[in-house]
Amino acid sequence: EDGIASGITIGIGPVLHYGQEWTKGQVIQDIIEGNKVICLAITEPTAGSDVSGIQTTARKAVVNGEPGFIVRGTKKWITNSVFADYYTTLVKTVDENGKDLGTSMLLIEKHESVVVRKIPTAYSITAGTGLISFEDTFVPERNLLGKIGQGFQITMHNFNFERWGICAMTISRSRRVIEECFLWAMQRKAFGKRLIEQPVIRQTLGGMIAAHQACWADFERLTYKYQNMDR
């Protein structure tokens, strides 16, 4: 669930919305059919929430007659990276002379110059959390998502949906927890009666429902605005 619901969901968005035509057939189809795995590579050892502080660099270059970028840098705490075939990667773009061209988003394919190391965590191993090292990885120009310098915009657009998805999962799972609490309270007996008959238990369950309904109402309001607000 972590790899599919989290890693793939947040990694595929930029390709779906900003990828060139060939990616929407070949890449998207392979991922949706379960033949390939993708991840979103933004966080770095020295740049987390501060997206503008990334250091991974993509220098414009021509290799064997093909225009593209040479990528060098490190990404850390990347969900799905351990078993990913594609890396949706935010980079700092520069021209052949090192002139800053702003941040850009690249679709980097699995390659021997892309080294991934598993990071042991206290969280689920299915998340495939890892450290990615791009060691002068060549990325063809056709793998550019959107335009050069559009990376920050693409990242923020993706974050909007990503955060919305996290809210949806959290609220739905909390509802499931409440359901399980009710089922247990209806079955479990203590002091000669079911837990649901204890006033303190009913008060606790009532508080849980009230808090959940408040969150759900706010989420529905947010979703409506997300779908209908001026772009």
Side-chain angles (χ1 to χ4, degrees), residues 53-72:
I54 64 167
Q55 297 298 315
T56 297
T57 302
R59 182 184 295 272
K60 294 187 70 175
V62 177
V63 176
N64 296 326
E66 183 175 13
F69 308 87
I70 298 295
V71 180
R72 177 183 294 181

Side-chain angles (χ1 to χ4, degrees), residues 177-186 195-212:
V177 169
I178 294 173
E179 290 176 0
E180 290 296 323
C181 288
F182 261 97
L183 289 173
W184 182 245
M186 294 291 287
L195 292 181
I196 195 67
E197 298 176 55
Q198 301 285 358
V200 67
I201 298 298
R202 292 201 301 272
Q203 181 182 21
T204 300
L205 290 173
M208 293 168 64
I209 294 171
H212 178 272

Side-chain angles (χ1 to χ4, degrees), residues 67-160:
F69 308 87
I70 298 295
V71 180
R72 177 183 294 181
T74 304
K75 299 291 183 178
K76 192 175 184 181
W77 307 116
I78 306 303
T79 301
N80 253 18
S81 61
V82 171
F83 32 75
D85 300 287
Y86 297 105
Y87 312 87
T88 305
T89 310
L90 183 67
V91 296
K92 184 178 180 180
T93 342
V94 297
D95 66 12
E96 296 85 345
N97 300 314
K99 180 182 178 182
D100 185 11
L101 300 176
T103 57
S104 301
M105 191 73 79
L106 297 176
L107 176 66
I108 301 179
E109 301 176 60
K110 192 174 184 178
H111 187 267
E112 60 182 12
S113 64
V114 180
V115 180
V116 181
R117 300 173 180 84
K118 182 179 179 180
I119 299 178
T121 67
Y123 184 54
S124 172
I125 59 173
T126 61
T129 306
L131 176 78
I132 309 174
S133 296
F134 298 107
E135 301 178 352
D136 291 335
T137 304
F138 176 69
V139 181
E141 195 174 64
R142 72 177 194 147
N143 286 44
L144 174 67
L145 303 179
K147 302 176 182 178
I148 292 178
Q150 199 178 7
F152 186 81
Q153 176 187 338
I154 295 174
T155 301
M156 293 301 106
H157 179 268
N158 196 56
F159 276 178
N160 278 341

